[in-house]
Amino acid sequence: MGSKPFASSTDLAPKVEEFVTLADGVHALTAEGDPNVGAVEAEDFLVCFEARATPAAARLWLDRLRERTDKPVRYLVLSHYHAVRTLGASAFDADVVVAHERTRALIAERGEQDWDSELGRMPRLFLEPDTIPGLTWPTMTFSDRLTIPLGGDRGDLELRYLGRGHTAGDVVGWLPQQRILFAGDLVESRAALYTGDAFHDEWATSTLDNVAALGAEVLVGGRGAVARGRAEVDAAIAQSRHFLDELRRTVGTVHGRGGTPREAFEAARAALAPRFGGWPIFEHCLPFDVQRYWDECDGVDWPKIWTARRDREVWAALQ
């Protein structure tokens, strides 16, 4: 394990992308476990969900979208602050960049360090990194709910904050008329969870309860295939909850008996690998997941900032 390549630094093979239309004017792009993106057509404008890691990468998604519609992007929604979700924003030329108020605060607090960290962890996602003009700053923030009327008979898009989870400021995009949910990284469909900036206890309980209570019939998670039908949606939520529960159980047990973070990592891996080990980014995420929950067990509520240096230190210590 000690010689294992760092994070996703050697995952350089291209992924097969799939453009999927979920309902009239509701689209998503998935890519074998790479970050998903989406778009909702209003009567005369677009709302895009997530921005990708660079403008060059975002333009590849926009090129696919432009094969279906030439409506201008009025709103770009950022589900949270991570670099692979935000730094491509300039390509959209959006009138409004929307995020939770805590996401804006997190970008101010740790955006630069997160950029360096994620570039080192996932270099393949940063297509032409020199095209990034700088940090992405939301131009509109909210605390609880923001409703975007789509016009005509298209209904509304509701942006909702459902509680702390993957980060302190995750938001989802909910189409109640179509029963479609863009869940961001609060839910993954057949992909491992990254929890290095998470609030595990809230995420695994009240936050996922709030996600489930929406009653979505189609769910686009942060990574993985689209979940279609209540059975698949419920399974995606349950899978995400199970990952969190097992991580909390194993790490908490080792912490409680006075063990070490490395022992906690070994216990978590033994419990999670049989089900999740073959899924995208499992090996990449687990050391950072374990370290964050260990910190929470130590009483550290607000996540420590990941820097490129700290990434390598934790990876070496736990592997």
Side-chain angles (χ1 to χ4, degrees), residues 95-288:
D95 295 333
V96 182
V97 179
V98 188
H100 193 267
E101 60 189 15
R102 287 180 179 166
T103 290
R104 195 182 204 289
L106 284 161
I107 291 169
E109 178 190 56
R110 59 185 67 198
E112 290 283 357
Q113 296 97 319
D114 184 70
W115 180 350
D116 289 342
S117 167
E118 296 204 359
L119 178 60
R121 293 187 192 183
M122 297 171 281
R124 181 177 50 77
L125 298 182
F126 286 79
L127 179 66
E128 299 179 28
D130 291 346
T131 63
I132 302 170
L135 291 174
T136 297
W137 295 98
T139 59
M140 177 186 292
T141 61
F142 66 100
S143 60
D144 180 43
R145 184 182 301 189
L146 178 68
T147 299
I148 300 175
L150 300 175
D153 60 357
R154 296 174 181 270
D156 295 332
L157 171 64
E158 298 177 2
L159 305 180
R160 295 196 185 192
Y161 176 71
L162 301 178
R164 300 195 302 184
H166 176 71
T167 72
D170 300 277
V171 300
V172 302
W174 171 232
L175 292 162
Q177 183 169 297
Q178 298 87 349
R179 314 302 295 174
I180 297 172
L181 180 65
F182 290 92
D185 280 317
L186 289 176
V187 179
E188 311 290 7
S189 181
R190 296 192 63 82
L193 274 64
Y194 174 68
T195 72
D197 301 294
F199 298 82
H200 289 79
D201 296 337
E202 293 169 55
W203 187 0
T205 55
S206 57
T207 300
L208 282 181
D209 288 347
N210 290 335
V211 173
L214 291 173
E217 295 176 4
V218 177
L219 183 148
V220 182
R223 296 173 184 262
V226 175
R228 298 175 182 268
R230 285 302 300 273
E232 286 190 10
V233 170
D234 291 346
I237 296 170
Q239 169 242 298
S240 299
R241 196 191 301 269
H242 179 68
F243 186 100
L244 293 166
D245 285 346
E246 285 296 278
L247 185 69
R248 294 160 67 216
R249 178 184 67 82
T250 53
V251 176
T253 297
V254 174
H255 187 278
R257 65 171 172 76
T260 66
R262 183 162 185 167
E263 291 170 345
F265 171 78
E266 291 168 352
R269 193 176 190 286
L272 291 167
R275 179 170 179 182
F276 299 97
W279 290 7
I281 69 171
F282 173 78
E283 297 291 354
H284 168 162
C285 292
L286 193 60
F288 309 116

Side-chain angles (χ1 to χ4, degrees), residues 17-19 29 60-68:
E17 296 181 343
E18 181 183 6
F19 189 104
L29 190 72
L60 295 178
W61 152 235
L62 288 167
D63 287 345
R64 300 285 297 274
L65 187 59
R66 289 306 180 207
E67 296 172 5
R68 277 81 176 174

